[in-house]
Amino acid sequence: MRVLQTVQGTVGTLPGATSVARGMSHFGEHALGWITIGAVGVLVDPKRRTQWAGVAVGAVGAHAASIVIKRVVRRKRPAHPSVQVNVSTPSRLSFPSSHATSTTAAAVLMARTTGLPFPAMLVPPMLLSRLVLGVHYPTDVLAGAALGAASAAVVARAEKKFGER
């Protein structure tokens, strides 16, 4: 709880931080932003069509895995008087963060496809945004990132095994 309160009391007070975090939240909702990026990649980069499709599939699969785990674990979102909730959520379940999960999967798979450092550029801001918005505990976003990385590894293995021949 102290880490969450500290993030909200520092980063969360920066001008525009909450607005940016809300925008990231909307982009990542149900992995739709990542699915869109994967679809655009499929359309504009025919040489790497399979890998761009993997970005979308990886984001969807990671998101689905996080939802299943949420329903099993059933951890409630932060509900402390000192935590300000700055965005609506589709459920009251917190662990793991689906945004962290799908973002990490997409970022790892996009890095694999392009060679660019997407995990370092995209994952920390998304994880931090979930705390700024007050909808996750730090362990929720860390577990989500780990699940997303594992999901990306599964997609990468599947591409190697079943990819175009």
Side-chain angles (χ1 to χ4, degrees), residues 19-109:
S19 296
V20 169
R22 278 191 193 118
M24 294 172 71
S25 183
H26 296 308
F27 177 87
E29 195 67 44
H30 305 297
L32 292 176
W34 304 120
I35 294 166
T36 301
I37 287 175
V40 168
V42 165
L43 294 172
V44 303
D45 189 1
K47 290 182 181 177
R48 297 184 289 190
R49 183 169 282 144
T50 301
Q51 291 83 5
W52 284 111
V55 169
V57 168
V60 169
H63 179 76
S66 72
I67 297 301
V68 168
I69 294 169
K70 277 184 194 230
R71 293 186 182 278
V72 171
V73 174
R74 306 199 65 77
R75 181 183 198 181
K76 300 291 184 206
R77 292 188 187 274
H80 191 273
S82 69
V83 175
Q84 184 177 12
V85 177
N86 296 305
V87 71
S88 63
T89 59
S91 83
R92 293 184 179 162
L93 302 178
S94 182
F95 182 92
S97 164
S98 296
H99 283 77
T101 304
S102 62
T103 296
T104 303
V108 168
L109 292 165

Side-chain angles (χ1 to χ4, degrees), residues 2-13 128-129 131-132 138:
R2 275 187 253 149
V3 172
L4 177 55
Q5 293 166 331
T6 300
V7 169
Q8 285 202 326
T10 56
V11 177
T13 63
L128 193 59
S129 77
L131 302 180
V132 166

Side-chain angles (χ1 to χ4, degrees), residues 116-142:
L116 297 173
F118 285 117
M121 295 170 13
L122 301 173
V123 175
M126 183 61 84
L127 273 57
L128 193 59
S129 77
R130 308 313 289 158
L131 302 180
V132 166
L133 294 173
V135 293
H136 285 289
Y137 296 101
T139 51
D140 298 338
V141 297
L142 294 173

